[in-house]
Amino acid sequence: MAEAERIIGTPDIPEAEGHEGAEPEQAEGKVSPEAAEPAGQDAGGAEDGEAAVDRSPATRRRRIILLFSVAVLAYLLDLGSKMLVVAKLEHQEPIEIFGDWLRFDAIRNAGAAFGLGEAFTIIFTIIAATVIVVIARLARKLYSLPWAIALGLLLGGALGNLTDRIFRSPGVFEGAVVDFIAPAHFAVFNLADSAIVCGGILIVLLSFKGLDPDGTVHKD
């Protein structure tokens, strides 16, 4: 009998029980640090709004394409409308669109949007050029679709009025902007002014919502 036990060997009961008891304990809720770490990272990413942001190069390219597409559309609409107004409406009687509420009346504006600050034409020209440079720099970190639209509107409007200031009389960087949309009891403006205002309002709304150009959402 002793010889048989020596050949077969005596099982180590405590170690076997301890090993078997460890497996249910781990299954009941003890998770390894390696398994717990990704979950913690996902939770933290969801809190600061970065988990769902796609920052791949392809996404950034699409946002930049959208920005410049909106800018080109706004610019061409503004440029085309001004060319038509100068050719057909300038030095003519205003055209009534909705009675006294809305008219097309061609004027030359040396100031900023809506006829403000006519004594600072060069300053407004510099501001418009600065806005264009800032937008170009922001485009390098652009992943948000609403921001792409907002910046595109700003860029198209700024380029539209800057074109007038460079190429129209009385001279380079002093040119007068063509305005023609004349609502009742309001300043006369153009499509570039409208694009700038719409883009600015959209940026304010996005800022209130805590959305950055790179797609990060800040939650208070």
Side-chain angles (χ1 to χ4, degrees), residues 63 66-68 70-71 142 144-156 195 198-199 202-203 206:
R63 299 298 180 258
L66 176 61
L67 186 158
F68 285 106
V70 172
L142 183 63
S144 168
L145 187 147
W147 269 95
I149 296 173
L151 294 176
L153 290 172
L154 279 180
L155 180 59
C198 291
L202 182 54
I203 287 175
L206 294 174

Side-chain angles (χ1 to χ4, degrees), residues 68 71-72 75 78-79 82 128 131-132 152-166 192 196:
F68 285 106
V72 169
Y75 176 76
D78 177 69
L79 182 63
K82 289 173 178 175
V131 168
I132 294 172
L153 290 172
L154 279 180
L155 180 59
L159 286 172
N161 284 339
L162 185 61
T163 300
D164 282 2
R165 298 190 189 283
I166 294 175
I196 291 172

Side-chain angles (χ1 to χ4, degrees), residues 24-48:
E25 183 176 334
Q26 182 174 2
E28 288 177 1
K30 286 191 176 181
V31 184
S32 64
E34 292 80 7
E37 185 175 354
Q41 290 178 352
D42 291 343
E47 289 179 0
D48 60 16

Side-chain angles (χ1 to χ4, degrees), residues 8 22-23 32 52 59 83-84 98 100 102 114 129-130 157 197 201 207:
I8 298 174
E23 291 182 357
S32 64
T59 298
M83 293 175 63
L84 184 62
F98 295 110
D100 295 334
L102 179 63
F114 308 110
T130 303
V197 171
I201 292 174
S207 299

Side-chain angles (χ1 to χ4, degrees), residues 174-191:
E174 297 181 353
V177 175
V178 176
D179 289 336
F180 62 94
I181 304 174
H185 312 297
F186 196 73
V188 184
F189 59 96
N190 56 41
L191 295 182

